Amino acid sequence: MKKLIVSLVCIFVMMLLVTSCFTHTYSVGKGAQTGLEVTKKNYYLIYGLVPVTTSDPTQMSGGASDYTVTHEWTFVDGFISAITCGILNPTTTTVKK
């Protein structure tokens, strides 16, 4: 029984260590031209299954026709997710005009 508990704890710790940050970037039009940035958080529940608040890159661009969108899961976002055991999963969206 003790070996089973130790094995489960080791597996859990390994799962936490092998998670990584992800970044998805795409450009609209010619991409960022002025260098202005707008950043907003997105919040999801239960490992990302239920969206609570999500950002709209089109609105964040403020009507610009050329901008770059970066959607990422930062270290801080992952840390919050780990602390809450996957109940709250934030991500970050950044729009560069």
Side-chain angles (χ1 to χ4, degrees):
M1 183 67 177
K2 187 175 181 179
K3 286 184 180 183
L4 176 65
I5 293 172
V6 171
S7 297
L8 290 175
V9 169
C10 287
I11 289 171
F12 180 73
V13 169
M14 288 179 64
M15 285 176 27
L16 289 176
L17 293 175
V18 297
T19 61
S20 63
C21 302
F22 75 82
T23 302
H24 180 244
T25 302
Y26 61 93
S27 297
V28 176
K30 296 179 183 177
Q33 302 292 317
T34 63
L36 298 173
E37 286 188 9
V38 178
T39 301
K40 290 193 178 178
K41 288 285 197 183
N42 308 302
Y43 294 99
Y44 301 92
L45 296 175
I46 312 168
Y47 296 104
L49 295 175
V50 181
V52 177
T53 58
T54 56
S55 58
D56 182 9
T58 306
Q59 287 181 343
M60 291 171 64
S61 71
S65 59
D66 301 321
Y67 56 94
T68 301
V69 179
T70 302
H71 185 78
E72 61 186 335
W73 195 46
T74 63
F75 175 79
V76 174
D77 296 335
F79 185 69
I80 292 170
S81 180
I83 287 175
T84 62
C85 297
I87 295 171
L88 179 65
N89 292 286
T91 59
T92 305
T93 301
T94 304
V95 174
K96 293 181 185 177
K97 300 178 196 180

